[in-house]
Amino acid sequence: MSGAEPDYTLHREAPSVDDYCRLRVISGLSPKSREAALIGLPNTVCGVTVTLDGKAVGMGRIVGDRGCFYQVVDIAVDPAHQARGLGKKIMAALMDYVAAEAPDGAYISLIADGPAKHLYAKFGFKPVTPESIGMAFRVSRT
Ligand SMILES: CC(C)(COP(=O)(O)OP(=O)(O)OC[C@H]1O[C@@H](n2cnc3c(N)ncnc32)[C@H](O)[C@@H]1OP(=O)(O)O)[C@@H](O)C(=O)NCCC(=O)NCCS
């Protein structure tokens, strides 16, 4: 990249429903309904949004029970702004929260998609295989 770095701003809050749904889709994550996002986003334990000129270009969240279990979800950067360190900034902010707030023994987990595992490894996350595997169940009402 040439020239000055864009003036990104990191906000310690979850994105709006519109930005959340948009960022998931443009970053290639599975779409979430507005209905689901309206219920889920207010239950965020720790949210981060990165904006450029007021527009959301990246996000990440931690959800969980605030004691025993936490999950890192929705790590996504607009493809036009990837590979500029935003993913690392988002993860660093989320892990700041963990360092400050999570009690001894808390278990922080995530499902790493593709090359994102390299990002999470930088923050101390380790594969749980072969002893364990991630498993998931998706609700379908259509
Ligand atoms: C994963 C994602 C959030 C990373 O965001 P980003 O802003 O591009 O990441 P950064 O520029 O901060 O790079 C972070 C680190 O991740 C690693 N990384 C990111 N993409 C990588 C890739 N395609 N291959 C290998 N390593 C990669 C690198 O180690 C990099 O660190 P380095 O620059 O010091 O080598 C972004 O690529 C994205 O939104 N992907 C699509 C959605 C997604 O898959 N989210 C994760 C779901 S689990």
Side-chain angles (χ1 to χ4, degrees):
M1 205 182 105
S2 62
E5 278 295 311
D7 197 8
Y8 296 109
T9 305
L10 187 141
H11 310 262
R12 292 176 192 275
E13 61 190 14
S16 68
V17 168
D18 285 346
D19 287 335
Y20 175 77
C21 293
R22 177 178 57 81
L23 281 171
R24 278 200 63 103
V25 169
I26 64 172
S27 69
L29 297 178
S30 59
K32 292 290 180 203
S33 67
R34 284 185 58 82
E35 178 195 18
L38 274 165
I39 297 168
L41 290 177
N43 293 317
T44 299
V45 168
C46 176
V48 172
T49 306
V50 175
T51 61
L52 179 63
D53 300 329
K55 184 180 180 188
V57 298
M59 65 177 179
R61 297 197 301 144
I62 293 174
V63 296
D65 69 3
R66 298 179 190 267
C68 297
F69 294 99
Y70 299 77
Q71 188 169 20
V72 175
V73 295
D74 296 323
I75 305 297
V77 172
D78 179 334
H81 299 273
Q82 288 179 7
R84 296 178 186 181
L86 295 184
K88 277 185 284 192
K89 282 194 167 67
I90 292 165
M91 277 302 296
L94 295 178
M95 295 309 286
D96 282 350
Y97 170 87
V98 169
E101 302 293 341
D104 185 42
Y107 187 80
I108 322 295
S109 60
L110 56 82
I111 299 287
D113 295 344
K117 67 184 175 197
H118 301 296
L119 170 61
Y120 304 131
K122 287 179 185 289
F123 292 89
F125 287 84
K126 294 180 171 54
V128 295
T129 51
E131 292 82 4
S132 311
I133 57 165
M135 297 179 74
F137 177 94
R138 194 181 295 276
V139 175
S140 173
R141 299 193 188 281
T142 54

